[in-house]
Amino acid sequence: MVGVGPFFPDAACLVAALVGVLVGAAATAAFRWSERVQKTVPPGPEPLVDDGVVRVLAVLRSAAVVVDDSDAVVRATPAAFALGLVRDGALVHEPIRRLVAGVRADGVIADAELDLPRGPMGPVTLRVSVRVAQVAPGLIAVLVDDLTQARRVEAIRRDFVANVSHELKTPVGALALLAEAVSEAPDDAQAVRRFAGRMTDETTRLSRLVHEIIELSRLQVATTDGLRLVEVDDVIAEAVDAVSTTASARSVRLTVGPSTGLQVTGDRQMLVTAVRNLVDNAVAYSADGASVSVAARSSRTDAGVDVAEVVVVDEGVGIPADLQERVFERFFRVDPARSRDTGGTGLGLSIVKHVAADHGGDVTVWSQPGRGSTFTIRVPKADQGVREAPNPQEDAA
Ligand code: ADP
């Protein structure tokens, strides 16, 4: 016991001292921490946002705003400012303020999808989903997700499906009618031959349409796998070869420019498809016996990018100025009847546009009704940006 007596007072002192230090450190830390939190909260009346809420808001993807009893904004995330939800310490949009008032009155979480003006002026709107909830006594949080882009993609997809269904229905309907006509005229050999010929045309159209839809969807999931060095001269030769039978059937003279040795990096088959679509159109929208020329050349864009250009020139019907941009839209045709006669699907140029974009390039058109059209695909040359690293010693010298 003798030895133990003095030990206890010492241990007690030590523990007391330790506790003192810990409490002091904790208090200092707590003070500093609360000071830091306070600094990030805009100055305003109590109540301050609970730190748990602050931390949750910080990790949320949604734009978030917390308002107090008087509708003053006590906290807003950068995304909320970016969406223009907050101005002068208050919520900008009346529909959101109404939701907040409702939640304040009945305490029930409110969800809504709203169209909000993007800015104080102009017709552009944002499609947003809003959730409003009470997060602490006197505090209401508004969470906003921007659905604009998602809704746009959805609308494009819906349009595309509707267009495809419509485009498929036409040849399928025609085939059904033709089959009926054949079965009703078994003894009229001439009529049967005529109907059979038209059935062949419709099936060709149908299979071309299905092929192009598949090609388009393949492009939309294109990755950078399988990209190779592609000789532009070879692409042109293969594309022209694929169209030569159609061209000679209509006595259209197809000429190819001199070899250039130009190379691009990309998917050779896709590039052939793109150039073939342009040559196909040039022949289809020209009169019998007209000339179509295809050539490659080297050029430099205004932004200083070295590109390989493939230029397809015809002397055909041309395209009115106000429709020249629209021809790249899916299923758009200047003259649906003519496109139908030529077996067109309305997808050819949208495929060209996708292929060019997937190769970091673009496609442009010059055209004059009655004089003809010139389509130009531009793709960056393969050796872009490959330069030898400068020798630092030489630089220094
Ligand atoms: P289509 O299968 O109908 O040819 P495209 O997407 O290839 O579809 O072309 C869209 C429309 O653009 C065509 O229907 C046609 O009206 C117009 N067009 C395309 N190329 C030419 C051209 N070389 N000359 C005149 N019109 C063209």
Side-chain angles (χ1 to χ4, degrees), residues 5 8 10 83 106 118 122 166 173 191 253 284 319 322 327 364 367 392:
F8 265 111
D10 278 1
L83 284 181
D106 58 21
R118 184 178 277 283
H166 175 77
R253 207 157 58 86
I319 304 165
D322 56 331
V327 293
T364 50
S367 189

Side-chain angles (χ1 to χ4, degrees), residues 208 212 277-278 281-286 314 316-319 326-329 331-336 339-340 342-350 367 372-373 375:
R208 185 164 164 198
E212 292 195 345
N277 286 356
L278 291 184
N281 282 347
V283 172
Y285 298 101
S286 291
D314 68 54
V317 292
I319 304 165
R326 299 210 59 197
V327 293
F328 296 101
E329 292 171 17
F331 300 115
F332 182 85
R333 288 112 162 180
V334 174
D335 177 353
S339 161
R340 202 176 144 69
T342 58
T345 59
L347 289 176
L349 289 181
S350 69
S367 189
S373 312
F375 283 85

